[in-house]
Amino acid sequence: MTGHHRPDAIAVVDDDPRLRQLIGGYLSQEGYEVFEAENGRSLASILLRRAIDLIVLDVLLPGEDGLSVCRRLRAMGVRTPIIILSAKGEDADKIAGLTMGADDYVCKPVNPRELRARIQAILRRSSPREEPGGPSIANEIVRFGPFEFNLGTRTLRKGDRILGITTVQIAILKVLVRHTGQPLSREKIAQVARGRELGAYDRSLDVQVSRLRRLLEDGAFSYIQTVWGVGYMFDPSGREGVGRHLQASGEAASW
């Protein structure tokens, strides 16, 4: 396990409930927080609402297969480590999985202890986790409109002027810009940005987002879109009504 304040969260995606329970139960006993999904759509729902540290993804899924799910996640910019599970153990199959963006490839039948060892190895290689609201380990700079957000120095500029921004607002904006174009639930934003869950009647996140929007005012543009029934999304184009369109078309709840 990595040494941070919450247990590593693992999503186990397989259409076989017995295998999900076998893997999930073992990983839970080992101290991981496990979320089970039976297909790509269920995984999308989990990723929308939770901060996931690693995905265990079966190839043969109903609907969209696991390799396509993996490729789509990588195309969306999702950097979460992925371990592919497959009954096919030929070199060509393994190469295909790794080419799609998987970090490892494990053949069935699965030995839970071997899977745990591979999970531990991947998480050890992963970038050190940053404190919520803390500086980015890499000196990332995001530019949109007249704004420049430096995640390393935690500064927000509009042209030549440095804007006053609080630590909480930095944390929220960092989560949003790192998931550009991806609708995120209020719960996931709070979990990643602040390192804790939202209470049932906690509206503080919405207050902070409202203040961020005022800070990022640029004429009629809105860089933080509301995705109705889901949460918020960062859109560097600033187009109006994108969030409403996503909700109406059902894209926010799918891929």
Side-chain angles (χ1 to χ4, degrees), residues 116-127:
R116 181 198 62 179
R118 290 176 181 263
I119 289 171
Q120 289 175 327
I122 289 175
L123 292 178
R124 279 197 303 268
R125 295 197 300 266
S126 298
S127 299

Side-chain angles (χ1 to χ4, degrees), residues 34-184:
V34 177
F35 299 88
E36 296 182 17
E38 67 271 16
N39 52 37
R41 191 174 181 86
S42 298
L43 173 63
S45 180
I46 292 171
L47 294 177
L48 185 72
R49 293 171 170 79
R50 303 291 309 191
I52 297 297
D53 298 297
L54 186 142
I55 300 167
V56 177
L57 180 62
D58 186 37
V59 169
L60 294 179
L61 297 175
E64 189 174 22
D65 66 80
L67 293 181
S68 297
V69 171
C70 179
R71 181 177 57 212
R72 192 178 294 257
L73 286 172
R74 295 303 185 232
M76 291 169 59
V78 176
R79 297 177 289 182
T80 307
I82 296 173
I83 295 178
I84 291 289
L85 296 184
S86 176
K88 299 179 179 180
E90 299 296 325
D91 288 345
D93 299 307
K94 296 178 182 179
I95 291 169
L98 296 172
T99 302
M100 294 294 182
D103 297 85
D104 202 350
Y105 191 103
V106 177
C107 296
K108 292 182 175 181
V110 180
N111 182 324
R113 293 171 61 186
E114 178 190 352
L115 181 60
R116 181 198 62 179
R118 290 176 181 263
I119 289 171
Q120 289 175 327
I122 289 175
L123 292 178
R124 279 197 303 268
R125 295 197 300 266
S126 298
S127 299
R129 284 175 175 78
E130 300 163 358
E131 288 298 318
S136 169
I137 295 170
N139 199 35
E140 301 172 64
I141 298 176
V142 179
R143 297 181 177 89
F144 52 99
F147 298 97
E148 179 183 285
F149 181 38
N150 189 315
L151 283 70
T153 61
R154 299 192 301 169
T155 54
L156 178 66
R157 290 179 176 270
K158 185 175 184 181
D160 295 329
R161 184 164 58 96
I162 296 180
L163 304 179
I165 183 169
T166 67
T167 298
V168 172
Q169 291 164 358
I170 288 169
I172 293 171
L173 185 57
K174 182 164 72 171
V175 175
L176 290 169
V177 301
R178 281 183 167 173
H179 296 80
T180 294
Q182 298 175 38
L184 300 176

Side-chain angles (χ1 to χ4, degrees), residues 232-244:
Y232 300 104
M233 180 186 75
F234 179 73
D235 178 17
S237 73
R239 293 170 296 169
E240 292 293 338
V242 172
R244 290 180 176 84

